[in-house]
């Protein structure tokens, strides 16, 4: 890579990154501002962690954060289970009639406008409550179900593409050696696709963690998630504590992404090193 | 090449009283409209190394997968050691398979991979460990116990796969292109090892390959397949020296094929007139064919002699001009144009060092013995 990087490419890159990150960066910077006024930087007393300590004392924020974490975790787990099953069915059933249609239907929620999904879920929950009495009212349950519905589609795509690159003869070999199909799944398939399952889980977690639109349709009194809280606070007037809260949210998502990224990279590097080592041994005879 | 199996005493297929160990009975496999395997019947005997040889897409792998239980025959039945296996799932068959990709479990060590099958059978830990160690020693792979597959070289992986498929002492071992992923040097070496192991353990092998050299070295018998059918079954020598069809003659090794028709049809010899040769060929055995029907005479390139002077022989002598020469060290290959324009391939061993070999555009005499001719009718 000792090519001379052209001025144009560098500028284009700078502009691109600026466009993406200046809004978030300014938000983060202003979260350390002492002044109550969002747009005025108090040079004398900044930076300060005042707004962060204020957050920790704010019962409402803490409850919303706990709720969001809980919903995100349950959603991620549920979406991974359902998404893995769907991915498995799509990748392993071979060419059955209507497979393309089914694949399309699974991924459709990804492109469906959230407003529509939210509205449809709301209508369904209301109808179900009238017909079978469950779920009673809107709240954590309905939010979680709605989140699983849309994040499952993402997990399915992740799992399906992993399974398509998985050598099917691995499963056949296990069966050939005497393992029944269910055992093959748990002992062979699952451990091998585990990294994909983990990244599916993280993806579903972050999707749920920052969802606002669908949540607002299916939430009820007493079930305010963090994004909802931020949104309602902003409507009452912006205050630097919002900056702090939003920074925390960004930090959660970013650290998840970084952890997952580093973990995967380390796995890959170790694998590469092992391969190198094996090749070296091979040259020594065998 | 079949000198690798000098014993040749194992010839149960010549014994009418012998009971086949594996019996494939009129098996057909269709995928939609595509017929992958068409009415194949085959008997394989205990201790054999039977090789299914054919180009890709000929149905050999499908046949192997039906023996393993991964595919169900559309019609027909399969027996192994007298038991009907047609509807038995793969995990209940006394059959193991070595996959072309080896299919080693990437998240398990060598020992865990090899011990997997024994674990499924609930073999106690101590016995399992002993058997794994024993088989790893047999494939000369001790000291790699705790390695993961990606920490092994190609040849080592191949041996783990072999050990894993042998450790359960299957009645039948299926090998899908067992040497296909190895480089040439390693392949030659591994061929011998594979034969040794097969003879040590006495396991019946069914090998699928598209590589005729692999088939010739490994097999006790070869079944040549094309388009879902078995065209010919026989020992490597039978298949090479006595092909029964143009396809088999052409698929195994290289061959010169001359179109002609019978002009003299006796029980002990025939003469075939061929415009391509510009003369008649004398064949020292009888041929079952309708008179005047088109037949083909197949002659292997190494059976053709090339001389400057007309050899002292009445039949099967033809004149031509040398068009191409490829000096390969041990042998030289010539392409000789007959007067009809037909090109004949000739392979001659370079038995002595000399500089006066025939050269380009030289007039030469090609000749071969009457027994070198193989006459095929289809």
């Amino acid at each position: 890579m000792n090519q001379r990087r052209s001025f144009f490419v560098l500028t284009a890159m700078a502009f691109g990154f600026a466009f993406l990150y200046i809004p978030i960066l300014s938000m983060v910077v202003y979260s350390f501002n002492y002044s109550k006024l969002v747009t005025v930087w108090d040079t004398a007393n900044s930076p300060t962690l005042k707004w962060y300590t204020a957050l920790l004392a704010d019962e409402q924020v803490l409850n919303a954060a706990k709720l969001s974490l809980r919903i995100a975790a349950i959603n991620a787990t549920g979406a991974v289970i359902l998404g893995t099953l769907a991915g498995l069915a799509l990748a392993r059933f071979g060419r059955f009639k209507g497979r393309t249609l089914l694949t399309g239907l699974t991924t459709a929620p990804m492109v469906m406008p959230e407003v529509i999904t939210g509205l449809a879920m709301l209508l369904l929950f209301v109808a179900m409550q009238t017909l079978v009495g469950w779920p009673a009212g809107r709240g954590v349950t309905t939010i979680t179900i709605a989140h699983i519905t849309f994040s499952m589609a993402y997990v399915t795509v992740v799992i399906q593409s992993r399974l398509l690159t998985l050598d099917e003869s691995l499963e056949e070999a296990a069966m050939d050696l005497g393992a029944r199909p269910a055992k093959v799944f748990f002992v062979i398939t699952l451990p091998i696709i585990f990294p994909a399952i983990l990244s599916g889980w993280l993806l579903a977690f972050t999707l749920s963690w920052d969802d606002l639109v669908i949540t607002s349709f299916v939430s009820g009194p007493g079930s305010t998630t963090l994004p909802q809280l931020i949104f309602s606070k902003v409507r009452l007037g912006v205050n630097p504590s919002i900056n702090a809260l939003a920074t925390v949210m960004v930090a959660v998502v970013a650290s998840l992404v970084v952890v997952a990224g580093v973990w995967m990279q380390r796995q890959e590097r170790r694998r590469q090193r092992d391969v190198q080592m094996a090749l070296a041994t091979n040259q020594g005879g065998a | 090449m079949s000198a690798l199996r000098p014993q040749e005493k194992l010839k149960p297929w010549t014994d009418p009283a012998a009971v086949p160990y594996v019996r494939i009975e009129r098996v057909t496999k269709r995928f939609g409209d595509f017929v992958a395997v068409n009415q194949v019947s085959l008997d394989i005997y205990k201790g054999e190394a039977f090789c299914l040889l054919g180009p890709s897409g000929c149905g050999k792998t499908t046949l192997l997968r039906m023996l393993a239980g991964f595919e169900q025959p559309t019609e027909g039945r399969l027996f192994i050691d007298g038991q009907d296996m047609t509807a038995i799932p793969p995990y209940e068959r006394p059959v193991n398979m070595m996959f072309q990709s080896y299919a080693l479990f990437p998240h398990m060590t060598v020992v865990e991979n090899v011990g997997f099958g024994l674990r499924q059978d609930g073999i106690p830990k101590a016995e399992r460990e002993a058997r794994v160690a024993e088989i790893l020693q047999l494939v000369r792979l001790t000291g790699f116990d705790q390695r993961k597959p990606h920490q092994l070289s190609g040849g080592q992986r191949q041996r783990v796969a072999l050990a894993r498929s042998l450790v359960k002492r299957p009645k039948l071992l299926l090998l899908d292109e067992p040497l296909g992923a190895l480089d040439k040097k390693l392949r030659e070496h591994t061929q011998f090892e594979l034969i040794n192991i097969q003879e040590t353990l006495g396991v019946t092998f069914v090998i699928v390959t598209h590589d005729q050299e692999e088939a010739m070295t490994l097999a006790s018998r070869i079944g040549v397949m094309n388009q879902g059918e078995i065209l010919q079954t026989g020992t490597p020598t039978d298949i090479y020296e006595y092909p029964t069809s143009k396809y088999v003659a052409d698929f195994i090794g290289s061959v010169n094929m001359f179109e002609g028709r019978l002009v003299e049809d006796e029980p002990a010899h025939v003469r075939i007139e061929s415009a391509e040769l510009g003369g008649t060929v004398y064949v020292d055995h009888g041929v079952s064919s309708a008179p005047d029907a088109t037949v083909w005479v197949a002659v292997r390139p190494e059976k053709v002699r090339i001389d400057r002077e007309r050899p002292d022989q009445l039949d099967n002598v033809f004149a031509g001009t040398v068009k191409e020469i490829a000096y390969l060290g041990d042998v030289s290959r010539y392409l000789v144009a007959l007067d009809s324009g037909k090109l004949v391939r000739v392979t001659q061993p370079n038995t002595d060092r000399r500089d006066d070999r025939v050269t380009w555009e030289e007039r030469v005499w090609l000749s071969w013995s009457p027994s070198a001719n193989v006459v095929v009718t289809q």
Side-chain angles (χ1 to χ4, degrees), chain B residues 65-84:
Chain B
R65 290 173 58 82
M66 285 195 281
L67 283 170
F70 301 133
E71 309 281 358
Q72 287 287 309
T74 318
E75 286 162 28
R77 303 206 300 165
L78 296 166
F79 295 89
I80 296 169
D81 199 10
Q83 280 176 291
D84 189 342

Side-chain angles (χ1 to χ4, degrees), chain A residues 167 172 176-177 180 274, chain B residues 65 92 97 101 107 150 168:
Chain A
D167 185 0
E172 286 174 349
D176 184 63
L177 291 164
R180 286 164 177 280
D274 287 344
Chain B
R65 290 173 58 82
E92 281 169 10
M97 178 153 165
S101 62
H107 56 301
H150 59 258
K168 288 185 78 176

Side-chain angles (χ1 to χ4, degrees), chain A residues 164-279:
Chain A
L164 287 178
T165 56
L166 179 75
D167 185 0
E168 231 174 301
S169 59
L170 288 172
E171 292 167 348
E172 286 174 349
M175 227 189 289
D176 184 63
L177 291 164
R180 286 164 177 280
K183 184 146 193 206
V184 172
F185 176 74
F186 285 109
V187 182
I188 304 296
T189 318
L190 211 52
I192 295 174
I193 65 167
F194 182 72
I197 290 181
L198 191 69
S199 60
W201 194 90
L202 291 172
L203 185 64
F205 185 93
T206 53
L207 283 171
S208 160
W209 172 252
D210 65 10
D211 180 73
L212 175 63
V213 180
I214 292 174
T215 312
S216 6
F217 275 97
V218 295
S219 69
S223 62
T224 309
T225 64
L226 208 50
Q228 277 184 300
L229 185 73
I230 295 176
F231 193 64
S232 64
K233 273 182 178 261
V234 168
R235 276 197 297 189
L236 296 175
V238 187
N239 128 358
S241 73
I242 293 294
N243 282 10
L245 186 53
T247 305
V248 171
M249 283 196 70
V250 170
V252 169
V253 173
S255 55
L256 280 183
V257 171
V258 168
V259 166
V262 167
W263 183 70
M264 274 159 154
Q265 204 181 3
R266 192 174 295 169
Q267 288 260 314
E268 178 59 24
R269 210 175 294 154
R270 203 175 60 193
R271 213 183 59 80
Q272 293 277 345
R273 204 181 47 221
D274 287 344
V275 170
Q276 289 294 326
M277 201 172 80
L279 289 177

Side-chain angles (χ1 to χ4, degrees), chain B residues 9-23:
Chain B
K9 55 187 180 258
L10 181 82
K11 277 187 173 176
W13 51 90
T14 53
D15 176 5
V19 181
Y21 196 60
V22 177
R23 169 155 252 172

